Amino acid sequence: MTIPYVTGTVSVTAGSAVVTGSGTAWATALIAGGLFGLDSSNGNPVPILSVDSNTQLTLAKPWRGTTAAGQGYWIVRDTAYLQQQTVNAQALSTYIQRLDNAALAALAGLTPAADQFPYFNGANTAVLTALKAKGRDIIAAVDTLGLLEKLGPVLGGFTPVPSEAGVGLADGDFNSITVPGVYTIAGTWTNGPSGAAGSGYTAMLWVIARKFNNRWVQGLLHGGFEYTRWSSDGVTWDPWIMTPALNGVNNFTSAANTFVGLTSSGSIFLDNGANYNSLALRRSGMEARLEAGATSINLGTIGAHPLTFRVNSTEKARFEEVNGDFLVGLTATPDPASGSTLGFAIRGNTGRAWRRSSGYNPFIQSRLASDGSVQDFYREHTLVGNIQVSATGTTYSTTSDYRRKNDVQPIVTFSLTPEQFDVLDNAELKIMGLRPVFHRWNDAPEKGVVTGFIAHEAQPIVPHAVTGEKDGMVDIGREIIPARDIEVEVEDEEGNYVIRTITIPEQINEGVRIDGLAEGAKFEKTGEIPVYQTMDYGLITADIVAALQCVIYKNMLQGEEIASLNAANADMASRLSAIEQHLGLPLSP
């Protein structure tokens, strides 16, 4: 039979599931469930939901009896819980037996000391070894970057030969050294810059590898020269490439790449067949390279250094190192709010340009042989205006095509009678014939209602102010530039310059307008795009002024007529008054 727990007294509240104890030790006594009841007949026994502390428990249901304090009580503990206590005790006994073994005894026999770390040196023996602050820092590092920070100079100390580096490498074959690191190279090695056969080297080798295991790089410092080579699989290697000292006498041939010092024509000749090739210049941490790429010749700097161009020892232009801006006549991109340096700057990655000048014609644009646009303005991919020139002047046009507008409404509405039409001269009729309108832009509804003209409506009236044709379209398609032969000057194997013919392959460009084809190109239409009409509102200024002058002049004539009529009326009134006085008639009011 389970013995009830009755230590202390309790207080209960009607309708509450919380029981408060005094002098109780429910958590210590490991009471986890069972039935709770009072010694009195107050209320019925209730199952215990949880034991919250030594002096508080929560019932599975609210107390149905009356509120009482300092009451005797009883708790009958759950039989299953007692069984679990027995299981726990048996498990604890098992764990205590496991602790009684030689390995733990070996550790227990050690005497701890500062900066000492225990480790096993035999089957059942353990000793202490030193673990200083730096070692603890390395163990405590949470990631690779933290580990490198704790290690300090990673390449500190002397570089080992591969076989002594502890990474499973053997000496003697450069092709087999694929584990990243820096190594000392001594003795006979195969597959080096001197060729596939064994040759003597006293050098330093560095190896780096890309994370995805598809690119290895080896660099070798040997005999005062630097060599590099690449591999895409760690097995087959590209030929060694040498960065030579350009003194005109260090001629050498190595694998497939050849450096022939200075040729008879005074040229430096580098040849690496179809493989990557470069010429590097270094000075005090700076490096520049001239590279032969697969489809281009590249000139640039390695690192954050400008690339400058000089004439007569004076800098004329540069690519600066921060944003890659191309500067002409400048050493820094100008600030429009300060400074006085003159020149031109372009920022290629944003399409921005700066120009500052002083004097005559700071900006010149010219179109030869034909009338048309010298500058087009686009919003996204839509033409919204341009500057056009002709033999007689310049127009500054903005898009006014009806196809780009909606909700078009006249600003004013009127009609003229034949009599009214007859009294208007040509200048007034021209202005009266224009229809200014309210409208909205299709591509910019956020602009709301704006005012303007419809280009094709205004064109018959002010043709000098409108460009393009109503519903104009232009063909677009593929521009095909045929293969062609050109003559170029090249250097032959003996260093002499000769004229040779090379063939430039056929070139195909998509999305080209038919009116923008290169000379000699063929055209295959793939579609068409609108050519929107534009208007130069400034070119109707003269028409407006002429009409205004007509109105002013007519007002002046009308004023003179009114003054003449007023004078005639005054004379007539004076005469009428004299007649009335002569006849003795009462004066007119």
Side-chain angles (χ1 to χ4, degrees):
M1 177 179 179
T2 302
I3 300 175
Y5 184 91
V6 296
T7 302
T9 61
V10 298
S11 297
V12 295
T13 301
S16 172
V18 176
V19 178
T20 302
S22 176
T24 57
W26 294 324
T28 303
L30 302 178
I31 294 174
L35 291 175
F36 166 87
L38 296 182
D39 290 345
S40 65
S41 60
N42 182 7
N44 296 321
V46 181
I48 297 172
L49 178 64
S50 65
V51 174
D52 307 319
S53 67
N54 276 332
T55 58
Q56 179 176 306
L57 57 80
T58 300
L59 302 177
K61 293 184 179 181
W63 183 250
R64 298 297 185 185
T66 60
T67 299
Q71 298 292 303
Y73 72 101
W74 50 266
I75 294 176
V76 178
R77 285 179 284 189
D78 187 65
T79 303
Y81 175 72
L82 293 177
Q83 294 174 346
Q84 184 62 46
Q85 282 186 307
T86 302
V87 172
N88 292 346
Q90 292 174 346
L92 179 61
S93 175
T94 300
Y95 292 143
I96 292 175
Q97 291 176 6
R98 291 177 181 175
L99 291 175
D100 185 19
N101 62 65
L104 293 179
L107 292 175
L110 300 176
T111 301
D115 296 332
Q116 297 291 306
F117 184 79
Y119 75 97
F120 291 101
N121 64 341
N124 292 306
T125 59
V127 295
L128 297 175
T129 187
L131 183 62
K132 302 297 183 182
K134 178 58 70 173
R136 295 194 297 272
D137 286 346
I138 293 174
I139 294 175
V142 298
D143 53 29
T144 302
L145 182 59
L147 176 61
L148 293 176
E149 290 176 351
K150 298 302 182 181
L151 286 174
V154 177
L155 296 180
F158 296 100
T159 60
V161 297
S163 60
E164 296 177 1
V167 290
L169 297 176
D171 301 331
D173 185 356
F174 284 106
N175 286 358
S176 67
I177 311 302
T178 56
V179 178
V182 182
Y183 306 96
T184 292
I185 302 298
T188 300
W189 283 70
T190 59
N191 296 309
S194 298
S199 182
Y201 292 90
T202 301
M204 181 176 293
L205 176 73
W206 54 264
V207 181
I208 56 177
R210 195 156 61 183
K211 175 182 178 181
F212 303 106
N213 295 326
N214 59 355
R215 179 65 71 178
W216 282 258
V217 184
Q218 287 183 339
L220 187 71
L221 300 177
H222 170 62
F225 297 97
E226 178 183 352
Y227 306 83
T228 55
R229 68 172 184 169
W230 302 72
S231 174
S232 59
D233 57 9
V235 178
T236 303
W237 291 86
D238 291 341
W240 289 95
I241 299 173
M242 178 182 184
T243 303
L246 301 180
N247 55 17
V249 297
N250 58 333
N251 305 328
F252 68 90
T253 299
S254 175
N257 60 317
T258 304
F259 171 70
V260 192
L262 297 176
T263 67
S264 59
S265 61
S267 299
I268 298 172
F269 188 68
L270 296 170
D271 183 7
N272 194 25
N275 299 308
Y276 171 83
N277 205 350
S278 71
L279 177 65
L281 300 175
R282 294 194 184 97
R283 178 179 177 180
S284 301
M286 295 187 299
E287 181 176 336
R289 288 198 179 186
L290 176 62
E291 302 173 320
T295 59
S296 63
I297 299 298
N298 309 315
L299 174 65
T301 63
I302 307 300
H305 303 290
L307 178 64
T308 65
F309 302 87
R310 295 174 176 267
V311 177
N312 196 23
S313 300
T314 301
E315 180 179 325
K316 299 298 183 182
R318 69 164 54 194
F319 285 99
E320 59 95 25
E321 65 275 18
V322 178
N323 294 300
D325 294 354
F326 179 60
L327 313 177
V328 179
L330 300 165
T331 57
T333 302
D335 181 352
S338 63
S340 59
T341 53
L342 307 180
F344 187 69
I346 298 176
R347 182 164 297 172
N349 61 351
T350 62
R352 301 184 66 188
W354 294 258
R355 183 181 72 254
R356 186 156 58 195
S357 62
S358 177
Y360 176 71
N361 281 357
F363 185 70
I364 299 173
Q365 290 193 151
S366 176
R367 181 183 177 112
L368 300 178
S370 64
D371 299 345
S373 176
V374 293
Q375 186 162 346
D376 291 338
F377 300 95
Y378 280 76
R379 169 63 163 80
E380 293 292 342
H381 301 102
T382 302
L383 180 69
V384 296
N386 52 44
I387 301 175
Q388 298 202 14
V389 295
S390 66
T392 58
T394 303
T395 60
Y396 303 86
S397 300
T398 183
T399 180
S400 193
D401 198 292
Y402 80 97
R403 290 171 291 182
R404 301 199 63 237
K405 301 176 180 181
N406 66 80
D407 193 17
V408 178
Q409 302 293 335
I411 297 177
V412 294
T413 302
F414 60 87
S415 61
L416 297 176
T417 66
E419 292 78 11
Q420 292 170 327
F421 186 87
D422 288 340
V423 301
L424 296 176
D425 59 23
N426 289 336
E428 292 171 316
L429 285 173
K430 182 176 290 188
I431 297 304
M432 295 297 285
L434 292 173
R435 187 174 76 116
V437 298
F438 295 113
H439 69 86
R440 300 176 186 272
W441 292 107
N442 298 338
D443 298 334
E446 72 278 2
K447 300 294 185 182
V449 177
V450 297
T451 59
F453 295 97
I454 302 300
H456 72 270
E457 294 179 353
Q459 194 168 24
I461 303 166
V462 285
H464 55 281
V466 180
T467 60
E469 300 296 332
K470 181 177 182 292
D471 298 318
M473 303 291 289
V474 66
D475 292 342
I476 61 170
R478 304 170 75 233
E479 176 189 53
I480 304 173
I481 302 176
R484 58 202 184 279
D485 294 335
I486 63 172
E487 292 184 340
V488 296
E489 186 179 44
V490 297
E491 187 179 17
D492 64 14
E493 292 78 4
E494 297 178 355
N496 301 313
Y497 285 94
V498 296
I499 302 298
R500 290 181 178 170
T501 300
I502 65 172
T503 299
I504 299 178
E506 180 182 82
Q507 180 181 346
I508 299 177
N509 300 315
E510 301 288 348
V512 179
R513 285 175 47 152
I514 192 171
D515 55 1
L517 292 180
E519 183 178 356
K522 299 178 181 178
F523 181 74
E524 291 184 1
K525 180 178 176 180
T526 58
E528 56 184 14
I529 57 175
V531 179
Y532 295 117
Q533 287 188 285
T534 62
M535 283 190 65
D536 184 346
Y537 291 174
L539 291 183
I540 64 176
T541 302
D543 300 291
I544 296 173
V545 170
L548 183 59
Q549 288 174 338
C550 288
V551 172
I552 293 173
Y553 181 66
K554 287 183 177 180
N555 286 341
M556 291 173 62
L557 293 178
Q558 289 176 352
E560 292 175 355
E561 291 177 359
I562 292 171
S564 176
L565 289 173
N566 288 338
N569 288 337
D571 181 64
M572 182 65 71
S574 176
R575 291 182 180 185
L576 180 61
S577 176
I579 292 172
E580 289 176 341
Q581 290 179 4
H582 178 74
L583 297 176
L585 298 175
L587 298 176
S588 300

